[in-house]
Amino acid sequence: MDVEKIRKDFPILAKKYHGKTLAYLDNAASSQKPVQVVDAVRDFYLNSYANVHRGSYDLSVEATEAYEKARKRVGKHFGAKEKETIFTRNTTESLNALAYSLSDSIGEDDAIVVTEMDHHSNLVPWQQLCLRKKAELHFVEVDGNGELADFDFPSNTALFAFPHVSNVLGTVNDVEKWAKKAKKEGALVVLDGAAGAPHIPLNVHRSGVDFYAFSGHKMLGPMGSGVLWGKQELLEKMPPFLYGGSMITNVEKGKSEWADLPHKFEAGTPDAGGAIGLAKAIDYLESVGFSRILEHEHALVKKTLDLFAEIGLDVYGSPSKRTGIVSFNIRNAHAHDIGMVLGGDAIAVRAGVHCSQVLVKKLGVPATVRASYYLYNTESEVERLADSVRKAKEVFG
Amino acid sequence: MDYKPDDEGAANMYHAMYKEHILDHYRHPRNSGTMEKPDATARGISKACGDFIDVFLRIKDNQLEDIKYDSIGCAISIASASILSEHIKGKPLDYIMKMTQDDILKLMNVQLSAAKMHCTLPALEATQGAIEIYRKGHATPADAGQPV
Ligand SMILES: Cc1ncc(COP(=O)(O)O)c(C=O)c1O
């Protein structure tokens, strides 16, 4: 993998702050975009733009075809049929839509199971659903290595929601194993793929899950491009979440009928440009190769852990399978202060609770600093990170 | 105050706010700790980051006789609490109630980046909140005082 060549596709990486080149190590929050993706969106707006599914004229047909082609391309990446590939704004919207649409099938005698490592967007919608329905909410705990601990699913488990990858620790969960375990109790299985999809391609049908959600912006795609996938037979039975244009076939004064999948779940004008950009982003990632990217992240993580061990830092989690995420702290220093020192050195990391307060509370700290890598990061950026952290340790440690 | 890329002055702001006197207050916070049976207490929370500070006040004759605080926060928030506590100890309650964030920034004597501004507020808000609670229980005429 030629990282220097890849970096040329991301002009933003040459930006300088305070005389230093930006080291963008906040990929778990969002990734940068290659020119190829921006060009694809630009081309759509400049050459093929009209509203989709609405016109009797060529341009609208072209726009519709471009949007539907993007759906096919994106769906193919994770083994989904077009009918099952619903475009949303992001993971959060996908999961909330799901929680609303499934709410009629959750009752007082049911339990929903989530994990301590879930992002707020895969925890709060289920927590609130449980509160509304007086259902039980259970948590799979996170162990000392930062992995999911053994868990016996209650026999009344109606739904299990978990992340493919922890956005704080980088832990990669065994999707098939957990899906199978929850299915034994007859649960619906929801996978939050936000932190996993950018690094590990999932085949939804092999995975054993019923629903899968991810965000395009974390995998080189535009902001505003997200996906909700669900098994066709389930989606067909579920009520729509949003009502309005594009999701309807017949409307009378007293009743309405829904369009076929996937349109039933795509009310209103979609972010077609976002979907087209996401399709291009997936082209780009596949051409580089997901397994090569992950290997590259592992090399960067190893170097980080070696350097951090020399410095003497608190590093959180040592999962057996991980993506390019390292969460850490300088003992006695506040994560936000570390983040500011790094920021002054043009190193972009995230300091905070990473929308995962349950997990960060379990770690026993108010916040952590998180460095997260992707295909365009380099060993020299890791060295700069370590140097800057060393400096912060002298000041605050 | 806005941070601009490639601007040397603003660039240094990230590091420049950690001046020696600020770090000294951070490393050796004055008046930090808790208090047995305070006359008033309140918690200040930074909505932006979830950090918080518990403030404990001893009040006599409408003056702040003693202050302690217990806080989880960054260097700027701890330094602001420390500097504030030193400044207001012994001062009339009215004076403290009139203080604003600008007063704290003047006392801190440091240029803060936009992202760290909010860290200076919870200590003052908690202190003023505690005084308000105290006053609701002790309706006496307040005495005068001017902010810095
Ligand atoms: C694991 C995980 N789930 C959900 C989300 C939410 O993603 P989005 O903000 O794109 O909806 C994120 C990203 O912040 C994440 O890392």
Side-chain angles (χ1 to χ4, degrees), chain A residues 147-200:
Chain A
E147 302 190 351
L148 293 178
D150 277 343
F151 183 77
D152 287 324
F153 284 90
S155 59
N156 61 339
T157 307
L159 186 144
F160 174 47
F162 72 117
H164 189 180
V165 169
S166 159
N167 62 305
V168 178
L169 305 172
T171 312
V172 179
N173 294 315
D174 186 337
V175 174
E176 282 178 52
K177 179 189 103 179
W178 283 98
K180 201 182 274 173
K181 254 180 96 112
K183 284 261 152 221
K184 268 205 196 119
E185 306 303 334
L188 290 172
V189 179
V190 177
L191 186 66
D192 170 1
H199 312 275
I200 304 165

Side-chain angles (χ1 to χ4, degrees), chain A residues 16-20 344, chain B residues 1-14:
Chain A
K16 290 199 170 181
Y17 291 93
H18 337 317
K20 291 172 183 155
Chain B
M1 222 36 233
D2 276 357
Y3 159 67
K4 289 190 206 72
D6 298 324
D7 170 341
E8 255 312 300
N12 290 331
M13 203 176 285
Y14 278 87

Side-chain angles (χ1 to χ4, degrees), chain A residues 36-114:
Chain A
Q36 289 86 341
V37 166
V38 178
D39 284 348
V41 177
R42 185 184 142 89
D43 180 59
F44 170 65
Y45 279 108
L46 293 184
N47 298 314
S48 308
Y49 183 80
N51 210 328
V52 295
H53 305 128
R54 290 189 192 169
S56 53
Y57 51 93
D58 291 337
L59 190 56
S60 174
V61 173
E62 246 173 83
T64 306
E65 276 172 1
Y67 181 51
E68 291 307 323
K69 197 172 141 210
R71 187 193 309 281
K72 196 169 185 171
R73 174 68 189 96
V74 172
K76 183 169 155 248
H77 171 66
F78 58 96
K81 293 184 256 185
E82 286 148 76
K83 275 179 179 296
E84 305 169 325
T85 307
I86 297 157
F87 282 121
T88 62
R89 266 192 316 140
N90 50 40
T91 307
T92 306
E93 184 173 287
S94 299
L95 294 168
N96 276 278
L98 202 53
Y100 273 97
S101 189
L102 290 172
S103 59
D104 288 343
S105 53
I106 304 291
E108 222 171 78
D109 302 327
D110 290 324
I112 290 181
V113 179
V114 295

